[in-house]
C-alpha cells in the first residue's frame, strides 16, 4: 500500500500536538460522565482542561442550537449542522447568518471526537474548542458573525432563567460562568458526545448481526476494501477516514490527499478560490490536498466534496472510476486524471452495473438513522 507521508508542516504540527501529554484520560470525569462508546470503537481523546460531564454536554447542546449566538439571531451551529442530514446542511457551500457564502461545504460532526485535525484541510486546527471560535467569530466569511457582539449575546444568555440553570449546573465552581471560554468548552463537549456506531455496517461488523447488511451491501463492502478500488486506504478504520486520534494511539495520524478533482492549468492547479493544503504549507506538492472526510452517513450528506461540486454518490464513483474528474467547460475545466499531483491511489477502475449498485448499497449501509434521531443530540428549541 502506498500512502503519502504527512507534509513537513503536518509532521511538525503532529510533533507539537504530541508534546507532553495534552490530553487526559477520558475516564477522568469528576462529573460522572459515562461514555456510550459504540461496540468496537476506541476511546476518544479529551483535553485535560475540558473533561466531559453530563451537565456540560447538555448546556453545550443548547448552545449548539442557540440562535442568539449569531449576529442577527437567525443562525446557530445546528443551522448548518442538522442532525437529520448527519449534521450537514444539504447545500453545496455553507451560507452564513448574513447570507455570505462559505467557499466550502458544511461537514458532518458524527464521531468528530476522533478527528486528528478539523475542517477540510487545516492541519493546525486540532481542538473542537478552538474550531468553534471560527464559526462564532470568523469574518472571512461571516458564519455566525458574533464578533463585536459577544458581550451582548452573553448578557442575553445570562438573563435567561433556562441558561442560568444550565450554566450553573455545568460550571458549578464558577462565580460567573457566562464567558466565551465556558461557551466554547460546553459546545465542544457536546460535539465529542456525538458518537455513532449503529449503522447496519457496524451491527454486522462489530455486533455480529450477520443479516444486518444485505448480500448486495456485503459485495459492495468487498469492493470498497479491495486493492482494485482502494477506497479503504483513505477512508478506512472504524472512522471511515485516515486522520484519526484516539486514546489508544501513541500518535495521532493526519493525512491529506489530492484526488484529481481539478486540474485547471494542466499542471495540477486547483481553482484559486480553494487550493487546499498548499494554503497552509506553501509547498507546491500540497496543491489540491484535502483531508479525507468520514463516509459515515454519507448517503445523507449530498452534495459532495469540499466545495459540493459533485451532486450525488454516483457522481463520486464516476470521479474515482475515471481516476479524477474531467470538466469540459467553464473556468474550472481540466482533466483531473492528468493531475500530476494526484494521489497514486486514485488510479481508476471500471465497475459492472451490479458492482456499482453493490458499492452504493455498501455506502448506504453506513447510515445510522437511530443515532441521528437521538434526543440527546437533538435541537431542544425545535418546537419554538
Ligand atoms: C454557515 C454555516 C456554518 C455554521 C453556522 C457553523 N458551521 Fe461548522 N462547518 C461549516 C463549514 C463550511 C465547515 C468546513 C470549514 C472548512 O473546511 O474550512 C465546517 C466545519 C466544522 C467542523 C469540522 C468538522 C470536521 O470533520 O473536521 C466542526 C467541528 C464544526 N464545523 C463545528 C461547528 C460549531 C461548533 C459551530 C457553532 C459554533 C459551527 N460549526 C457553525 C459550516 C458551518
Ligand atoms: C487517495 C485517498 C482517497 C481514496 C483512495 C479515496 N478517497 Fe474518497 N475522498 C478523499 C478525499 C481527500 C476527499 C475530499 C476531497 C475533496 O473534497 O477535494 C474524499 C471525498 C470522498 C467523498 C465525498 C465526501 C463528502 O463528505 O463530501 C466520498 C463519497 C468518497 N470520497 C468516497 C470514496 C470512495 C467510494 C472511494 C473508492 C472508490 C474513495 N473515496 C477513494 C480521499 C480518498
Amino acid at each position: 500500500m502506498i500512502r503519502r507521508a504527512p507534509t513537513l508542516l503536518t509532521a511538525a504540527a503532529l510533533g507539537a500536538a504530541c508534546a507532553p501529554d495534552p490530553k487526559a484520560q477520558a475516564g477522568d470525569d469528576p462529573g460522572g460522565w459515562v461514555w456510550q462508546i459504540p461496540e468496537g470503537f476506541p476511546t476518544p481523546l479529551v483535553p485535560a482542561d475540558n473533561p466531559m460531564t453530563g451537565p456540560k454536554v447538555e448546556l453545550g447542546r443548547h448552545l449548539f442550537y442557540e440562535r442568539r449566538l449569531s449576529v442577527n439571531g437567525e443562525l446557530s451551529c445546528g443551522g448548518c449542522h442538522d442532525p437529520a442530514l448527519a449534521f450537514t446542511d444539504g447545500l453545496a457551500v455553507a451560507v452564513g447568518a448574513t447570507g455570505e457564502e462559505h467557499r466550502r461545504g458544511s461537514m458532518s460532526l458524527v464521531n468528530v471526537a476522533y478527528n486528528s485535525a478539523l475542517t477540510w484541510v487545516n492541519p493546525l486546527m486540532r481542538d473542537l474548542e478552538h474550531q468553534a471560535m471560527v464559526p462564532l467569530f470568523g469574518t472571512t466569511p461571516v458564519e455566525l458573525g458574533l464578533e463585536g457582539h459577544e458581550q451582548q449575546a452573553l448578557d442575553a444568555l445570562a438573563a435567561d432563567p433556562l441558561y442560568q440553570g444550565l450554566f450553573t449546573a455545568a460550571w458549578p465552581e464558577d462565580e460567573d460562568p457566562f464567558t466565551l471560554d465556558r461557551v466554547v468548552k460546553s459546545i465542544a463537549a457536546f460535539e465529542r458526545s456525538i458518537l455513532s456506531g449503529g449503522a447496519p455496517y457496524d451491527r454486522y461488523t462489530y455486533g455480529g448481526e450477520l443479516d444486518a447488511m444485505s448480500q448486495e451491501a456485503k459485495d459492495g463492502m468487498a469492493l470498497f476494501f479491495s486493492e482494485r478500488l482502494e477506497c479503504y486506504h483513505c477512508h478506512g478504520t472504524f472512522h471511515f477516514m485516515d486522520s484519526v486520534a484516539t486514546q489508544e494511539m501513541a500518535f495521532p495520524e493526519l493525512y491529506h490527499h489530492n484526488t484529481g478533482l481539478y486540474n485547471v492549468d494542466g499542471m495540477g492547479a486547483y481553482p484559486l478560490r480553494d487550493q487546499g493544503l498548499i494554503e497552509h504549507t506553501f509547498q507546491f506538492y500540497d496543491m489540491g490536498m484535502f483531508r479525507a472526510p468520514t463516509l459515515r452517513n454519507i448517503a445523507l450528506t449530498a452534495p459532495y466534496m469540499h466545495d459540493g461540486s459533485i451532486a450525488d454518490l454516483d457522481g463520486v464513483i464516476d470521479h474515482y472510476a475515471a481516476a479524477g474528474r474531467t470538466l469540459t467547460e467553464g473556468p474550472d475545466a481540466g482533466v483531473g486524471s492528468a493531475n500530476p499531483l494526484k494521489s497514486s491511489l486514485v488510479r481508476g477502475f471500471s465497475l459492472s452495473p451490479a458492482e456499482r449498485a453493490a458499492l452504493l448499497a455498501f455506502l448506504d449501509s453506513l447510515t445510522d438513522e437511530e443515532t441521528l434521531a437521538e434526543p440527546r443530540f437533538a435541537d431542544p428549541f425545535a418546537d419554538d
Side-chain angles (χ1 to χ4, degrees), residues 304-374:
Y304 300 104
M305 315 312 266
H306 65 273
D307 56 359
S309 60
I310 301 186
D312 53 30
L313 287 173
D314 250 321
V316 175
I317 295 175
D318 290 341
H319 158 60
Y320 287 112
R325 172 176 68 178
T326 292
L327 292 172
T328 50
E329 48 191 47
D332 300 337
V335 180
S337 60
N339 188 320
L341 301 170
K342 188 188 65 168
S343 165
S344 56
L345 293 167
V346 180
R347 284 196 297 273
F349 47 81
S350 63
L351 291 176
S352 70
E355 286 175 325
R356 177 178 284 258
L359 183 58
L360 287 167
F362 169 68
L363 294 172
D364 262 343
S365 81
L366 302 180
T367 301
D368 179 356
E369 306 273 3
E370 208 174 304
T371 306
L372 296 176
E374 269 267 353

Side-chain angles (χ1 to χ4, degrees), residues 18-155:
C18 302
D21 171 39
K23 312 276 184 179
Q25 292 290 315
D28 290 346
D29 168 27
W33 172 257
V34 181
W35 282 106
Q36 300 188 25
I37 297 179
E39 185 76 34
F41 280 37
T43 321
L45 286 166
V46 177
D49 65 352
N50 192 21
M52 300 291 284
T53 72
K56 200 191 284 180
V57 168
E58 183 59 1
L59 169 60
R61 177 170 75 106
H62 283 77
L63 295 171
F64 184 87
Y65 293 104
E66 179 51 72
R67 292 197 295 270
R68 280 176 287 179
L69 287 178
S70 69
V71 58
N72 48 15
E74 300 206 346
L75 194 63
S76 66
C77 308
C80 294
H81 297 285
D82 176 357
L85 299 175
F87 295 89
T88 64
D89 58 10
L91 301 173
V93 293
V95 179
T98 56
E100 208 177 320
E101 277 195 358
H102 200 291
R103 60 182 174 157
R104 298 186 182 142
S106 303
M107 306 183 81
S108 175
L109 303 184
V110 164
N111 298 334
V112 72
Y114 297 109
N115 289 13
S116 56
L118 299 161
T119 77
W120 286 101
V121 180
N122 193 343
L124 300 176
M125 187 66 82
R126 294 304 177 121
D127 281 312
L128 290 164
E129 286 77 0
H130 289 107
Q131 195 283 328
M133 301 294 278
V134 177
L136 282 169
F137 298 107
T139 52
T140 50
V142 167
E143 293 179 71
L144 296 171
L146 215 50
E147 193 186 58
H149 306 271
E150 47 271 50
Q151 199 51 51
Q152 205 181 325
L154 289 170
D155 290 346

